[in-house]
């Protein structure tokens, strides 16, 4: 790691950047435009979010709050838990624990900093995480391994059985920092009584772990309040998902990111509800008028990302969609699996319901919700198994009228790289042109964005899609 | 010794061929978390799947992506070439992400290469945790597999037959403990390559023949007549390895002797006894899930470190060679932790990344091991 990087606390750097950036929109447009000249590195990302209007500005504030919560957690007497984006944070908010979501933070660092997270990625490797392991955790984790973040109090992960590389990174973090650890585990199937009972038992044991770490019992009244907020959010997400099915979609490419980043960071909190309301309000007039959310106003192509997005500098990935008139109709991260979404009937095992009638019902609700996060939901079992990756993708492609599918991930993903060729073959057989990208979504040194962009353009041109 | 080396080095094991000729069934399995006793009790020969004797990866690479460990790819390669066509069944276990995807890759390869997919093809969903609910799940998985065996092979696995199988496997385990005790001697009577071959052979040969051969061989070992005095004592740990040549490479002309391993194909997996009282299924579950010997059991690092330290002490290990197959994140990360914690207490460690399969990197590995032994000698 460059010596100068060791001079700064990573959380403080990110928190300060985001706090300043989130204030940009408070002034007059001319003031904001002038201010952008003074932040050459963060200008592109800041402008991209501000150009999204209210949802983007709300997201900035959300991100700023997220870091503020981390930075002030200990002074507020709260514990910090290192966790994954696949873990629903509602239980943390119910227990007054502050989550530190590693993958989200790596993605943000890449988008905001020109050098990306390379220094921290490399430090994690020096500390012992193999260079071939997933970069999504390795980035921000490197900062914590180097002692450059806030002190993590304990570690919690739910990826064993769905993504062993992810689970392994968190196990490593706990062993390296000598912090308590609870690992949850997914069986090979979803939606059947046996796996649901397993999830409930595992989640209940996890609650006992959290109670031990915090010294506080889970307050079910507080959980009920959080779940009531989840209900409001799920309703809004369902509406937004319905908008997304319209052809053309009234949503912008970046709206997908706003949707899931907010959920991973603040599900169950009113801050996220505000983001969703802003998204809804922005899209509603266009939905009514049948207008595309793209700035060009013309939707040339609808692309379904079958795994994750590309978190390169300045939101360049999403900008490419905008500039080329391509609608981004969601990814494995952005689509939601509440039983109210229009595609729920086609994937009954993949969806959860909310029941706040009793503590036991609430516990089961959060356990099943947690088991239906990204990855844990659909890449736990064989890709061609019931409700798994292929079935989910075909269902989403049908409901969202996908013209083609793109796989983007990280070379560290043993799981998807062990069957993405099989997926592509089956999707092509089903008439969906499919591209597999070889880049690293969190590390531009593996393949720079320009090369990735060219591969996408080559695919769309050769297949006659654009 | 030939019995062990032949079984450990090739897929064409005479005892497997004889078994097949006699009309009996054979099932392959991928992971040390599957109790082979279940098959033995059903009169079916359990054979641990390996990737030895591959001469290319065209089939493995066709289904798996490029960023995946070469071990499951080589198993798939052999299956695709028909080398595993003698199997009547196969059981895939989620040892890690790449291994569990052998399920789909093999099935899909079976569509393109007719005849390579065994008739009995089962996914044994071993959980990654041994708490009460994990244990209960594992017990159910065992019972479900027993039922599937009954349905497919038409054989009832009775409690008595299962207990007999457990007792037979335990006899082998006791013998391996005897072997390990001999390797603890200042003058071990056996090379690391021979000892490793003896352990490996147990994963592919009929257990009764194996146990008899092991008993006879160990009785002949004599510490008084050893050639292995005054060598630097190494331990080999890390990713799956079933290649005796790697052990030979460490020992030949190096002045070193491999006196212990902590490997998936080694005594680590073959070691601990299964209880011979109580419910045999639960006893198997306790043994196979409960020992947390593999980094697939996340959060059990301190237990594994303690076990490693104990072996290092008992076997008077001078240095530990930690290898991981490229893209094996689980062992790669754990090796780094082991290195940190063992070097702290004065145990020299060497970390090597390598490919599974024919030793294409002999020169590089030999040079690094040579340098490591020099380091130990100067201590």
């Amino acid at each position: 790691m460059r010596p100068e990087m060791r001079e700064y606390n990573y959380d403080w750097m990110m928190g300060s950047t985001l706090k300043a950036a989130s204030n940009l929109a408070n002034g007059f447009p001319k003031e904001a435009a002038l201010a952008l000249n003074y932040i050459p590195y963060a200008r592109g990302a800041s402008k991209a979010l501000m150009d999204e209007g209210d949802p983007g500005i709300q997201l900035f504030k959300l991100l700023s709050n997220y870091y503020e919560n981390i930075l002030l957690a200990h002074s507020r007497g709260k514990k910090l838990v290192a966790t994954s984006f696949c873990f629903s944070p509602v239980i943390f908010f119910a227990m007054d624990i502050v989550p530190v979501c590693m993958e989200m933070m790596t993605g943000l660092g890449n988008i905001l900093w020109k050098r990306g997270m390379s220094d921290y990625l490399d430090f994690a490797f020096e500390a012992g995480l193999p260079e071939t392991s997933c970069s999504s955790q390795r980035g921000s984790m490197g900062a914590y391994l180097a002692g450059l973040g806030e002190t993590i109090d304990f570690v919690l992960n739910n990826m064993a059985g769905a993504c062993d590389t992810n689970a392994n990174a968190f196990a490593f973090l706990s062993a390296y920092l000598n912090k308590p650890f609870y690992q949850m585990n997914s069986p090979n199937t979803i939606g059947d009584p046996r796996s649901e009972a397993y999830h409930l038992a595992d989640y209940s044991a996890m609650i006992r772990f959290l109670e031990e770490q915090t010294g506080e019992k889970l307050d079910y009244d507080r959980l009920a309040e959080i779940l009531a907020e989840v209900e409001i959010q799920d309703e809004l997400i369902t509406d937004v998902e319905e908008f997304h099915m319209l052809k053309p979609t009234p949503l912008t490419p970046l709206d997908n990111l706003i949707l899931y980043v907010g959920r991973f960071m603040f599900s169950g909190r009113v801050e996220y509800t505000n983001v969703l309301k802003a998204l809804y309000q922005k899209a509603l007039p266009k939905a009514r008028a049948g207008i595309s959310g793209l700035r060009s106003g013309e939707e040339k192509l609808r692309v379904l990302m079958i795994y994750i997005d590309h978190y390169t500098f300045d939101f360049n990935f999403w900008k490419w969609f905008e500039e080329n008139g391509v609608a981004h109709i969601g990814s494995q991260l952005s689509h939601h699996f509440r039983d109210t979404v229009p595609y729920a009937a086609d994937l009954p095992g993949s969806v959860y319901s909310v029941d706040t009638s009793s503590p036991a019902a609430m516990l089961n609700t959060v356990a099943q919700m947690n088991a239906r996060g990204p990855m844990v939901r659909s890449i736990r079992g064989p890709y061609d198994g019931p409700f798994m990756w292929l079935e989910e993708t075909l269902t989403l492609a049908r409901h969202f009228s996908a013209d083609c599918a793109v796989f983007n991930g990280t070379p560290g993903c043993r799981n998807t790289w062990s069957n993405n060729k099989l997926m592509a073959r089956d999707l092509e057989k089903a008439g969906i042109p499919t591209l597999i990208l070889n880049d690293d979504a969190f590390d531009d040194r593996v393949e720079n964005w320009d090369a990735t962009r060219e591969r996408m353009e080559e695919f769309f041109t050769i297949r006659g899609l654009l | 010794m030939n019995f062990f080396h032949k079984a450990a080095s090739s897929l064409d094991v005479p005892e497997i061929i004889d078994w097949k000729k006699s009309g009996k069934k054979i099932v392959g399995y991928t992971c040390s978390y599957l109790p082979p006793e279940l098959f033995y009790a059903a009169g079916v020969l359990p054979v641990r799947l390996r990737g030895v004797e591959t001469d290319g990866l065209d089939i493995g690479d066709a289904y798996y992506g490029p960023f995946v460990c070469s071990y499951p790819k080589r198993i798939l390669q052999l299956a695709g070439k028909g080398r595993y066509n003698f199997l009547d069944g196969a059981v895939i276990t989620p040892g890690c992400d790449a291994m569990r995807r052998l399920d789909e890759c093999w099935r899909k390869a079976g569509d393109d290469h007719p005849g390579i997919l065994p008739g009995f093809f089962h996914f044994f969903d071993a959980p990654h945790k041994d708490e009460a609910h994990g244990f209960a799940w594992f017990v159910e998985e065992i019972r479900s597999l027993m039922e599937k065996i009954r349905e497919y092979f038409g054989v009832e696995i009775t409690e008595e037959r299962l207990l007999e199988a457990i007792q037979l496997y335990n006899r082998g385990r006791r013998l391996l403990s005897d072997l390990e005790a001999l390797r603890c001697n200042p003058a071990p009577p056996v090379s690391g390559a021979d000892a490793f071959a003896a352990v490996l052979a147990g994963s592919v040969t009929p257990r009764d023949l194996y146990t008899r051969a092991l008993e006879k061989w160990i009785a002949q070992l004599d510490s008084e007549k050893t050639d292995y005095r005054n060598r630097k004592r190494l331990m080999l740990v890390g990713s799956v390895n079933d290649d005796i040549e790697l052990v030979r490479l460490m020992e030949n002309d190096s002045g070193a002797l491999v006196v212990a391993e902590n490997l998936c194909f080694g005594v680590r997996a073959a070691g601990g006894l299964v209880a011979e009282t109580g419910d045999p299924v639960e006893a198997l579950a306790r043994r196979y899930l409960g020992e947390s010997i593999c980094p697939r059991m996340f959060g059990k690092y301190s237990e594994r470190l303690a076990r490693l330290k104990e072996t290092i002490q008992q076997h008077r290990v001078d240095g530990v060679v930690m290898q991981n197959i490229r893209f094996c994140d689980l062992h790669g990360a754990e090796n780094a932790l082991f290195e940190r914690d063992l070097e702290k207490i004065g145990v020299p460690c060497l970390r090597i990344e390598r490919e599974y399969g024919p030793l294409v990197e002999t020169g590089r590995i030999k040079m690094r091991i040579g340098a490591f032994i020099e380091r130990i000698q100067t201590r």
Side-chain angles (χ1 to χ4, degrees):
Chain A
M1 186 182 287
R2 288 177 294 154
E4 60 267 35
M5 296 296 285
R6 285 189 168 277
E7 296 297 316
Y8 297 97
N9 176 289
Y10 162 76
D11 290 325
W12 179 86
M13 272 200 296
M14 287 294 286
S16 307
T17 305
L18 288 163
K19 191 169 178 61
S22 69
N23 286 329
L24 278 173
N26 290 347
F28 294 108
K30 273 188 179 174
E31 287 175 325
L34 186 65
L36 288 175
N37 293 332
Y38 294 95
I39 48 168
Y41 288 135
R43 179 170 50 204
S46 301
K47 186 170 183 315
L49 270 190
M50 287 200 299
D51 285 349
E52 288 298 310
D54 201 21
I57 292 163
Q58 293 270 3
L59 185 76
F60 249 145
K61 293 190 189 305
L62 201 76
L63 297 172
S64 174
N65 280 353
Y66 194 78
Y67 274 93
E68 188 173 317
N69 288 344
I70 292 170
L71 288 163
L72 298 178
H74 290 138
S75 63
R76 289 171 175 167
K78 296 181 181 185
K79 301 270 188 183
L80 282 175
V81 58
T83 188
S84 155
F85 72 107
C86 306
F87 198 102
S88 170
V90 296
I91 198 69
F92 302 135
F93 298 134
M95 297 186 77
D96 233 6
I97 298 164
V98 177
V100 180
C101 177
M102 292 292 163
E103 298 88 353
M104 285 293 100
M105 298 171 103
T106 305
L108 269 176
N110 280 328
I111 288 167
L112 288 172
W113 290 342
K114 198 163 191 175
R115 287 177 69 108
M117 296 295 278
S118 55
D119 288 279
Y120 301 119
L121 281 161
D122 291 351
F123 184 83
F125 172 54
E126 284 172 37
L129 270 176
E131 61 180 340
T132 55
S133 66
C134 182
S135 48
S136 67
Q137 299 87 38
R138 209 158 25 95
S140 55
M141 212 172 259
Y144 294 97
L145 292 169
L148 296 174
E150 291 300 298
T151 304
I152 298 292
D153 294 302
F154 51 93
V155 182
L156 188 57
N157 182 264
N158 66 330
M159 293 303 288
C163 175
D164 290 348
T165 306
N166 183 310
N168 184 59
F170 283 87
F172 179 88
L173 181 72
S174 95
Y176 192 90
L177 299 178
N178 196 22
K179 299 292 178 187
F181 179 51
Y182 190 85
Q183 177 68 62
M184 296 174 78
N185 159 216
S186 292
N188 198 39
T189 55
I190 196 166
D192 54 297
R194 187 175 170 228
S195 69
E196 297 212 342
Y198 186 85
H199 284 305
L200 179 58
D202 207 13
Y203 204 84
S204 303
M206 186 275 294
I207 297 281
R208 289 194 289 277
F209 170 81
L210 291 181
E211 288 175 341
E212 277 170 27
Q213 299 308 315
T214 58
E216 302 283 341
K217 286 278 176 198
L218 170 61
D219 177 350
Y220 282 93
D221 292 335
R222 176 81 185 118
L223 181 59
E225 286 169 23
I226 303 272
L227 287 175
E229 200 64 37
V230 167
E231 286 270 35
I232 297 168
Q233 292 169 359
D234 284 355
E235 203 174 308
L236 283 161
I237 292 171
T238 302
D239 289 342
V240 171
E241 285 280 76
E242 282 177 354
F243 286 165
H244 224 0
M245 288 176 186
L246 297 173
K247 210 172 167 183
T249 170
L251 298 173
T252 68
L254 252 179
D255 285 343
N256 291 286
L257 176 101
I258 294 169
L259 189 78
Y260 67 75
V261 167
R263 188 164 71 235
F264 297 157
M265 289 185 160
F266 277 113
S267 180
R269 291 276 294 257
V270 71
E271 295 98 314
Y272 179 48
T273 311
N274 293 336
V275 171
L276 289 170
K277 282 179 181 167
L279 263 183
Y280 177 84
Q281 291 301 335
K282 191 180 96 174
L284 183 63
K286 288 186 175 177
R288 280 186 176 147
I291 297 171
S292 165
L294 294 162
R295 282 187 200 102
S296 64
E298 187 194 358
E299 181 180 286
K300 295 180 189 163
L301 185 72
R302 293 168 72 87
V303 174
L304 178 65
M305 298 301 295
I306 63 171
Y307 191 39
I308 60 173
D309 292 322
H310 192 327
Y311 306 92
T312 187
F313 185 54
D314 262 2
F315 293 112
N316 277 329
F317 176 72
W318 292 270
K319 281 181 189 169
W320 181 90
F321 279 80
E322 273 287 2
E323 287 160 6
N324 288 277
V326 177
H328 181 318
I329 51 167
S331 67
Q332 198 176 105
L333 310 188
S334 67
H335 291 300
H336 192 56
F337 287 82
R338 177 69 198 273
D339 55 0
T340 51
V341 292
Y343 40 90
D346 292 347
L347 295 164
S350 305
V351 297
Y352 70 92
S353 54
V354 173
D355 181 354
T356 54
S357 59
S358 67
M362 281 191 274
L363 195 60
N364 192 48
T365 292
V366 282
Q368 304 310 332
M369 180 198 293
N370 203 53
R372 282 154 178 85
M375 295 171 71
V376 280
R377 176 186 69 245
S378 54
I379 61 170
R380 59 167 65 189
Y383 84 100
D384 56 350
F387 314 125
M388 291 296 134
W389 200 14
L390 179 62
E391 194 177 326
E392 178 178 306
T393 303
L394 289 171
T395 302
L396 293 174
R398 195 169 59 249
H399 280 271
F400 288 83
S401 313
D403 295 316
C404 60
V406 175
F407 170 90
N408 189 67
T410 80
C413 186
R414 298 303 149 247
N415 190 342
T416 53
W417 274 105
S418 292
N419 58 15
N420 62 6
K421 290 184 189 176
L422 311 179
M423 268 290 283
R425 185 166 77 165
D426 286 0
L427 291 176
E428 291 276 358
K429 272 185 200 163
I432 302 170
T434 304
L435 168 67
I436 295 177
L437 289 169
N438 286 276
D439 62 80
D440 188 321
F442 298 87
D443 190 352
D444 273 9
R445 296 170 303 174
V446 172
E447 179 181 274
N448 68 47
W449 162 243
D450 289 330
T452 305
R453 178 176 52 76
E454 279 184 19
R455 284 177 202 280
M456 288 168 63
E457 287 168 358
E458 182 185 63
F459 169 78
F460 293 127
T461 305
I462 287 174
R463 301 299 292 267
L465 294 162
L466 261 186
Chain B
M1 203 60 231
N2 274 347
F3 171 86
F4 300 132
H5 276 282
K6 180 74 184 159
S9 311
S10 166
L11 287 186
D12 300 319
V13 180
E15 290 73 22
I16 297 179
I17 295 166
D18 291 346
W19 184 280
K20 189 74 184 173
K21 276 184 187 161
S22 70
K24 291 187 280 189
K25 306 294 183 191
I26 304 174
V27 165
Y29 66 103
T30 57
C31 179
S32 60
Y33 277 72
L34 179 102
E37 286 92 334
L38 297 176
F39 286 100
Y40 209 77
V44 175
L45 177 64
V47 172
R48 180 90 185 260
L49 295 177
R50 306 169 58 199
V52 293
E53 296 180 310
T54 42
D55 54 7
L57 267 182
D58 53 317
I59 297 173
D61 279 336
Y63 298 90
Y64 276 108
F67 313 119
V68 179
C69 159
S70 38
Y71 176 54
K73 281 185 181 181
R74 286 189 185 275
I75 294 176
L76 183 63
Q77 178 74 17
L78 290 172
K81 293 280 184 189
R83 294 290 307 276
Y84 277 128
N85 281 0
F86 63 85
L87 295 176
D88 299 286
V91 181
I92 312 296
T93 302
C96 63
D97 285 337
M99 286 308 292
R100 74 191 165 104
R101 293 294 175 224
L102 189 57
D103 168 29
E104 294 111 296
C105 287
W106 197 340
R107 281 193 287 110
K108 295 297 160 179
D111 294 342
D112 304 330
H113 303 268
I116 66 160
L117 189 70
F120 179 82
F121 200 73
H122 182 78
F123 190 85
F124 182 72
D125 194 5
H128 292 266
K129 56 198 308 168
D130 59 359
E131 286 95 329
H133 53 288
F135 180 78
W137 181 277
F138 193 68
V139 167
E140 287 168 15
E141 284 294 306
I142 294 177
R143 293 196 198 283
S144 163
L145 176 57
M146 288 166 70
E147 181 57 22
K148 295 273 168 58
I149 292 170
R150 189 190 65 77
E151 281 171 15
Y152 187 84
F153 294 104
V155 186
E156 190 81 45
I157 303 174
T158 63
E159 218 167 90
E160 292 71 31
R161 295 209 51 180
L162 194 51
L163 184 60
E164 277 172 34
I166 288 170
Q167 287 168 339
L168 177 63
Y169 272 73
N170 275 346
R171 257 179 65 206
R173 292 186 178 110
R174 288 191 188 94
L175 290 166
L176 290 176
S177 295
D178 294 344
L179 175 63
E180 287 306 287
L182 291 170
R183 296 174 81 193
C184 293
N185 284 344
V190 59
S191 71
D194 284 351
F196 192 48
V199 181
L200 263 175
S203 64
V204 293
T205 50
R207 199 67 184 187
D208 47 348
L209 295 181
Y210 170 72
T211 308
R212 282 202 295 276
L214 191 62
E215 202 162 25
K216 194 173 157 193
W217 177 64
I218 290 174
Q220 291 166 354
L221 296 175
D222 186 348
S223 284
E224 295 304 310
K225 294 179 186 167
T226 179
D227 293 330
Y228 305 115
R229 293 173 200 280
N230 303 321
R231 295 223 196 167
K232 286 296 165 191
R233 301 166 68 94
L234 299 181
M235 180 173 187
L236 178 62
V237 309
S239 293
V240 64
N241 173 55
D242 58 354
D243 190 354
I244 312 168
E245 291 307 315
L246 179 63
V247 183
R248 280 211 183 99
L249 187 70
M250 292 168 66
E251 294 184 319
N252 284 356
D253 309 321
S254 67
L257 183 71
V258 176
V259 293
E261 307 91 25
N262 187 17
L263 298 167
C264 182
F265 269 96
V267 181
R268 178 183 88 182
L273 296 178
V274 179
E276 294 178 13
T277 53
D279 178 355
V281 170
E282 292 195 2
L284 286 169
R286 265 191 296 279
R287 159 67 181 77
Y288 281 88
L289 187 70
E291 294 203 354
S292 300
I293 51 176
C294 173
R296 77 178 291 279
M297 304 299 278
F298 303 106
K300 302 277 185 183
Y301 169 72
S302 54
E303 289 175 27
R304 288 189 287 274
L305 177 65
R307 183 187 287 255
L308 192 56
K309 282 180 178 172
E310 192 183 329
T311 309
I312 288 167
Q313 193 180 23
Q314 285 172 348
H315 288 247
R316 306 158 199 262
V317 169
D318 295 312
V320 181
V321 176
M322 300 163 171
Q323 50 82 35
N324 74 280
I325 299 171
R326 187 150 179 82
F327 304 119
C328 177
D329 306 317
L330 274 58
H331 281 287
E334 185 141 298
N335 283 350
L337 293 169
F338 281 151
E339 181 186 40
R340 179 193 68 169
D341 292 333
L342 293 176
E343 289 276 2
K344 248 186 230 169
I345 57 167
V347 178
C349 297
L350 169 68
R351 273 202 287 157
I352 295 176
E353 190 176 68
R354 68 182 188 93
E355 284 293 343
Y356 173 89
L359 280 183
V360 290
E361 309 164 290
T362 310
R364 179 178 72 86
I365 295 175
K366 195 167 179 62
M367 186 173 72
R368 294 203 57 199
I369 287 172
F372 181 58
I373 291 167
E374 269 182 42
R375 180 193 158 195
I376 297 172
Q377 280 166 342
T378 55
R379 287 173 82 225

